[in-house]
Coordinates of all heavy atoms in Angstrom, one line a residue:
Chain A
T16 N -1.8 -8.0 11.0 CA -2.1 -6.9 10.0 C -3.0 -5.8 10.5 O -3.0 -4.7 9.9 CB -2.5 -7.5 8.7 OG1 -3.7 -8.2 8.9 CG2 -1.5 -8.3 8.0
K17 N -3.7 -6.1 11.5 CA -4.7 -5.0 12.0 C -3.9 -3.8 12.6 O -4.5 -2.7 12.8 CB -5.7 -5.5 13.0 CG -5.2 -6.0 14.3 CD -6.4 -6.4 15.2 CE -5.8 -6.8 16.6 NZ -6.9 -7.3 17.4
D20 N -2.4 0.0 10.2 CA -3.0 1.3 10.2 C -2.3 2.2 11.3 O -1.9 3.4 11.0 CB -4.5 1.2 10.5 CG -5.3 2.5 10.4 OD1 -4.6 3.6 10.0 OD2 -6.5 2.6 10.7
E27 N 2.7 9.0 9.0 CA 2.0 10.2 8.5 C 2.1 11.4 9.4 O 2.3 12.5 8.9 CB 0.6 9.7 8.2 CG -0.1 10.5 7.1 CD -1.5 9.9 6.7 OE1 -1.5 8.7 6.4 OE2 -2.4 10.7 6.8
E41 N 2.4 16.6 2.0 CA 1.4 15.6 1.8 C 1.9 14.2 1.2 O 1.6 13.2 1.6 CB 0.2 16.1 1.0 CG -0.7 17.2 1.8 CD -1.4 16.6 2.9 OE1 -1.9 15.4 2.9 OE2 -1.5 17.2 4.0
Y45 N 2.2 10.5 2.9 CA 1.7 9.2 2.2 C 2.9 8.2 2.0 O 2.7 7.0 2.3 CB 1.1 9.6 0.8 CG 0.3 8.4 0.3 CD1 -1.1 8.4 0.3 CD2 0.9 7.2 -0.2 CE1 -1.8 7.4 -0.2 CE2 0.2 6.2 -0.7 CZ -1.2 6.2 -0.7 OH -1.9 5.2 -1.2
N48 N 3.7 6.7 5.4 CA 2.6 5.7 5.7 C 2.8 4.4 4.9 O 2.8 3.3 5.5 CB 1.3 6.4 5.4 CG 0.1 5.6 5.8 OD1 0.2 4.4 6.1 ND2 -1.0 6.2 5.9
L49 N 3.1 4.6 3.6 CA 3.2 3.4 2.7 C 4.5 2.5 3.0 O 4.3 1.3 3.1 CB 3.3 4.0 1.2 CG 3.5 2.9 0.2 CD1 2.2 2.0 0.1 CD2 3.7 3.5 -1.1
T52 N 4.0 0.8 6.2 CA 3.0 -0.3 6.0 C 3.6 -1.5 5.3 O 3.5 -2.6 5.7 CB 1.8 0.2 5.2 OG1 1.2 1.3 6.0 CG2 0.8 -0.8 4.9
E53 N 4.4 -1.2 4.2 CA 5.0 -2.3 3.4 C 6.0 -3.0 4.2 O 6.1 -4.3 4.1 CB 5.6 -1.7 2.1 CG 4.6 -1.0 1.2 CD 3.6 -1.9 0.4 OE1 3.7 -3.2 0.6 OE2 2.8 -1.4 -0.3
N103 N 5.9 -3.1 -17.1 CA 5.1 -3.3 -18.4 C 4.4 -4.7 -18.4 O 3.5 -4.9 -19.2 CB 6.1 -3.4 -19.6 CG 6.7 -2.0 -19.8 OD1 6.0 -1.0 -19.8 ND2 8.0 -1.9 -20.0
P105 N 2.6 -6.1 -15.4 CA 2.3 -5.9 -14.0 C 1.8 -7.3 -13.3 O 1.1 -8.0 -13.9 CB 1.2 -4.9 -13.9 CG 0.7 -4.8 -15.3 CD 1.7 -5.3 -16.2
E107 N 0.6 -9.2 -9.4 CA -0.1 -8.9 -8.2 C 0.9 -8.7 -7.0 O 0.6 -7.9 -6.1 CB -1.1 -10.0 -7.9 CG -2.2 -10.0 -8.8 CD -2.0 -10.8 -10.1 OE1 -0.8 -11.1 -10.4 OE2 -2.9 -11.1 -10.8
Y113 N 9.5 -2.5 -4.1 CA 9.7 -1.6 -5.2 C 9.3 -0.2 -4.6 O 10.1 0.8 -4.8 CB 8.8 -1.9 -6.4 CG 8.7 -0.8 -7.3 CD1 9.7 -0.5 -8.2 CD2 7.5 -0.1 -7.5 CE1 9.6 0.6 -9.1 CE2 7.3 0.9 -8.5 CZ 8.4 1.2 -9.3 OH 8.2 2.2 -10.1
F114 N 8.2 -0.1 -3.9 CA 7.9 1.3 -3.3 C 8.9 1.7 -2.3 O 9.3 2.9 -2.4 CB 6.6 1.2 -2.6 CG 5.4 1.0 -3.5 CD1 4.3 0.2 -3.1 CD2 5.3 1.6 -4.7 CE1 3.2 0.1 -3.9 CE2 4.2 1.4 -5.6 CZ 3.2 0.6 -5.1
Chain B
R20 N -8.6 2.9 4.2 CA -7.3 2.3 3.9 C -7.6 1.0 3.2 O -8.5 0.2 3.7 CB -6.5 2.0 5.2 CG -5.7 3.0 5.7 CD -5.1 2.5 7.0 NE -4.0 1.5 6.8 CZ -2.7 1.9 6.7 NH1 -2.3 3.1 6.7 NH2 -1.8 1.0 6.5
A23 N -2.8 -4.8 3.6 CA -2.7 -6.2 3.7 C -3.7 -6.7 4.7 O -4.0 -8.0 4.8 CB -1.4 -6.6 4.1
H24 N -4.3 -5.8 5.5 CA -5.3 -6.3 6.5 C -6.7 -6.6 5.8 O -7.4 -7.5 6.2 CB -5.5 -5.3 7.6 CG -6.4 -5.7 8.7 ND1 -6.2 -7.0 9.4 CD2 -7.5 -5.2 9.3 CE1 -7.1 -7.1 10.3 NE2 -7.9 -6.2 10.3
R52 N -8.4 6.8 1.1 CA -7.3 7.8 1.0 C -6.0 7.1 1.1 O -4.9 7.8 1.0 CB -7.5 8.8 2.1 CG -7.7 8.2 3.5 CD -7.9 9.4 4.5 NE -6.6 10.0 4.8 CZ -5.6 9.6 5.6 NH1 -5.9 8.5 6.3 NH2 -4.5 10.2 5.8
F53 N -5.9 5.8 1.2 CA -4.6 5.1 1.2 C -4.8 3.7 0.6 O -5.7 3.0 0.9 CB -4.1 5.0 2.7 CG -2.8 4.2 2.9 CD1 -1.6 4.9 2.8 CD2 -2.8 2.8 3.0 CE1 -0.4 4.2 2.8 CE2 -1.6 2.2 3.2 CZ -0.4 2.8 3.0
I54 N -3.9 3.4 -0.3 CA -3.8 2.1 -0.8 C -2.3 1.6 -0.9 O -1.5 2.4 -1.2 CB -4.5 2.0 -2.3 CG1 -4.6 0.6 -2.7 CG2 -3.8 2.9 -3.3 CD1 -5.6 0.4 -3.8
D55 N -2.1 0.3 -0.6 CA -0.7 -0.2 -0.6 C -0.6 -1.2 -1.7 O -1.5 -1.3 -2.5 CB -0.3 -0.7 0.8 CG -0.9 -2.1 1.1 OD1 -1.8 -2.5 0.3 OD2 -0.5 -2.8 2.0
S56 N 0.6 -1.9 -1.8 CA 0.8 -2.8 -2.9 C -0.2 -3.9 -2.9 O -0.6 -4.4 -4.0 CB 2.2 -3.3 -2.8 OG 2.4 -4.1 -1.6
G60 N -2.6 -4.9 -5.9 CA -2.6 -6.3 -6.3 C -4.0 -6.9 -6.4 O -4.3 -7.6 -7.4
T64 N -5.6 -8.3 -9.8 CA -6.2 -9.7 -9.9 C -7.6 -9.6 -10.5 O -8.0 -10.4 -11.4 CB -6.1 -10.4 -8.5 OG1 -4.8 -10.4 -8.1 CG2 -6.6 -11.8 -8.6
K67 N -7.7 -8.7 -14.1 CA -7.3 -9.9 -15.0 C -8.3 -10.9 -15.1 O -8.6 -11.5 -16.2 CB -6.0 -10.5 -14.5 CG -4.8 -9.6 -14.7 CD -3.5 -10.2 -14.2 CE -2.2 -9.4 -14.5 NZ -1.0 -10.0 -14.0
Q84 N -3.6 11.3 -4.1 CA -2.5 10.4 -3.6 C -2.7 9.0 -4.1 O -1.8 8.3 -4.4 CB -2.6 10.5 -2.1 CG -2.4 11.8 -1.5 CD -1.0 12.3 -1.5 OE1 -0.1 11.8 -2.1 NE2 -0.8 13.4 -0.8
M88 N -0.3 6.5 -6.9 CA 0.1 5.1 -6.7 C -0.1 4.3 -8.0 O 0.8 3.5 -8.4 CB -0.7 4.4 -5.6 CG -0.5 5.0 -4.2 SD 1.3 4.8 -3.7 CE 1.3 3.1 -3.5
L91 N 2.7 5.6 -10.3 CA 4.0 5.1 -9.9 C 4.3 3.6 -10.4 O 5.4 3.3 -10.7 CB 4.2 5.2 -8.3 CG 5.5 4.8 -7.7 CD1 6.6 5.8 -8.1 CD2 5.3 4.8 -6.2
T92 N 3.2 2.9 -10.4 CA 3.3 1.5 -10.8 C 2.9 1.3 -12.3 O 2.9 0.2 -12.8 CB 2.3 0.6 -10.0 OG1 1.1 1.2 -10.0 CG2 2.8 0.6 -8.6
R96 N -2.0 2.7 -16.8 CA -2.1 2.4 -18.2 C -2.8 1.0 -18.4 O -3.1 0.7 -19.5 CB -0.7 2.2 -18.8 CG 0.1 3.5 -18.7 CD 1.4 3.5 -19.5 NE 2.2 2.4 -19.3 CZ 3.5 2.4 -19.6 NH1 4.1 3.4 -20.1 NH2 4.3 1.3 -19.3

Side-chain angles (χ1 to χ4, degrees):
Chain A
T16 52
K17 68 177 178 181
D20 188 1
E27 205 170 306
E41 287 297 320
Y45 194 105
N48 188 342
L49 180 66
T52 298
E53 299 289 359
N103 293 315
E107 290 81 350
Y113 166 71
F114 289 145
Chain B
R20 279 176 70 92
H24 187 54
R52 49 179 289 278
F53 178 87
I54 188 165
D55 76 347
S56 64
T64 300
K67 287 182 176 178
Q84 305 279 12
M88 296 297 292
L91 186 61
T92 51
R96 301 196 304 200

